[in-house]
Each structure stands twice: as C-alpha cells, then as structure tokens.
Amino acid sequence: MSDADPELLQLLPHRPPFLFVTRILSMSSGAARAVWELTGREEFFRGHFPAHPIVPGVLIGEALAQTAGLAIPDDDSPHRARGRSGSLARIDLKFSAPARPPVTLELEARVAGSRGDLHQFDVVASVEGRPIARGQLAIAVTA
Amino acid sequence: MTPTKDTVGTAVREILETDLKFAGMDLPDDLAMVGDGLMLDSLDVLMLITAIEKRFGHKIPKGKLGAKSMPNIGGFIEFVYLELQSASSGS
C-alpha cells in the first residue's frame, strides 16, 4: 500500500488505498498505458467474493479512469491537468470476462474528443492481451 | 464518398437515441439541441461530436463548433453534412 510509484504520486491526485494504477507502461498527451498488479491479498477480496475472488468491475472502471487521468491532453485544457483533480463525468463499460487474482490488468486509455476541460476516452482493460472490459468514459478537469 | 444528408440525419438520430438515451422521443428537425429542446449539456455535446467523428472518420475542427452549428437537429445535420462535403473536396 505504501510502495506507490513516486512518479504516479506526482501525476495523479489519488493515494493508497485508492490508487490502483501500479505502473506506467507508456504515456503521452492523449494516450496512456498502465497496469494494475493484484496479488489477491487486497482487502476487498475478502468480500468480493469469499472463496472465489473476482476483481470488482467498478474498481476496474476506476483504474481505467486513473489511466485516463494520465492521458489528459495538455493542449486542450485551460488548466494543466496532470497532478490535479479530475472528476469522472461519465462511464460506460462492457465486461466480457472476470479477472481473478493474482492478475496483472493492462489498462489503456486514448482520448476520443475534448471540449475545454471535458475529455472523452476510449478505454480497454486486458489480461494477458485479452480484453476483459472496454468502453468509454469522460473526465472533467477541475481548476 | 461523401455521405448523403439522409445518411447524416440517420446517424445523428441514432446517436441521440442510443448514446445520449433519447430513444422513444420525437426528434424533429426543428427541435432545439442546446439551451432548450433536448437541453444538451457540454458532456452531451462532446459525446455527440465524438460519435459523429468516429462514425464518419473525420475530425471536426474545434473552431467550427458553436451555437451556430447546432441551432436545432436539422441545422446540426446540415452543418455536419456540409463539413463532410467540405472535407471530401479538400477545401
């Protein structure tokens, strides 16, 4: 919990235990790839579910939103986005398979469009290259 | 090939019905989109524009978007149609 990547702590306002991205694979203005490594010892697996743990879909959505936070385009925002707060304005995901720990979730976010401080992303979460969730989300960057 | 105005109109209405959840509503050409009528907010407009751009494979320049480009549904369809025509002719 306390071993968060210092680079991530600079780029995202989230903190453990609600910082789910554990490593950045690539990052540019408008696109980011990252991973969330889960050991199976995370607290929420005690209840989701006893004896057969599955990564909660809402947390996969949050991890994708954090990945999108790494990809917010600099040039489209009146406020420089990185390291600032952003609010999830919309999310629409389709889940095609469960993710069971231990597992490394590969997270990808690519900007699809922007208007001012509002940014829409296409997002995908994969396990070993196979998509398990995909959809769109929007983030509003706050001043 | 430039899509016809009917094709653009069908696409706009499909996006309004499915992505923006206006299914079951009458969507006549003279229905306002912003401020009245559909009362789209900035997030709705972003979703609509992004979906149109994906559907037709053309990025609409930000400077061209504004209140004048979406006075109502018919006006927005006309705007998108002319934008796609302009893009395909290279002007």
Side-chain angles (χ1 to χ4, degrees):
Chain A
M1 287 288 187
S2 59
D3 296 333
D5 181 337
E7 185 184 15
L8 276 167
L9 294 178
Q10 279 196 326
L11 295 171
L12 290 174
H14 308 73
R15 294 293 179 266
F18 217 76
L19 175 61
F20 298 129
V21 171
T22 47
R23 192 158 41 91
I24 299 169
L25 299 178
S26 64
M27 189 175 66
S28 62
S29 177
R33 291 176 60 240
V35 296
W36 181 17
E37 292 153 321
L38 295 112
T39 63
R41 294 189 298 274
E42 290 78 4
E43 180 69 12
F44 50 78
F45 285 126
R46 287 181 56 213
H48 197 278
F49 296 95
H52 57 104
I54 294 174
V55 184
V58 290
L59 297 188
I60 295 174
E62 173 61 26
L64 286 166
Q66 292 178 11
T67 305
L70 296 168
I72 291 172
D74 292 336
D75 53 343
D76 280 311
S77 180
H79 309 107
R80 185 173 168 78
R82 291 178 181 159
R84 306 182 71 102
S85 293
S87 300
L88 186 59
R90 173 182 178 263
I91 186 162
D92 184 10
L93 295 179
K94 180 179 179 184
F95 296 91
S96 50
R100 304 178 195 282
V103 67
T104 297
L105 285 180
E106 302 137 19
L107 310 162
E108 187 170 351
R110 186 172 298 276
V111 75
S114 299
R115 282 177 69 85
D117 273 335
L118 205 49
H119 307 277
Q120 181 160 323
F121 294 87
D122 292 325
V123 293
V124 183
S126 308
V127 174
E128 295 179 348
R130 189 167 64 100
I132 60 153
R134 66 169 66 242
Q136 294 83 40
L137 61 84
I139 290 183
V141 177
T142 50
Chain B
M1 184 190 300
T2 310
T4 64
K5 198 190 289 190
D6 280 351
T7 305
V8 174
T10 300
V12 167
R13 287 188 168 86
E14 279 179 3
I15 292 164
L16 289 172
E17 289 171 356
T18 56
D19 295 14
L20 276 69
K21 319 294 186 200
F22 287 110
M25 251 185 85
D26 280 340
L27 299 171
D29 277 358
D30 62 354
L31 183 64
M33 300 181 78
V34 178
D36 202 355
L38 294 178
M39 299 179 70
L40 301 186
D41 62 18
S42 54
L43 179 57
D44 295 327
V45 172
L46 174 59
M47 287 172 60
L48 175 62
I49 298 297
T50 305
I52 287 287
E53 290 175 341
K54 276 187 187 174
R55 182 80 66 107
F56 294 108
H58 171 68
K59 191 93 179 158
I60 299 172
K62 283 190 177 63
K64 291 189 177 180
L65 292 167
K68 283 184 181 171
S69 59
M70 43 180 59
N72 52 36
I73 291 177
F76 179 64
I77 291 168
E78 178 79 14
F79 163 75
V80 173
Y81 171 66
L82 293 175
E83 171 62 24
L84 294 174
Q85 264 200 332
S86 162
S88 71
S89 67
S91 59

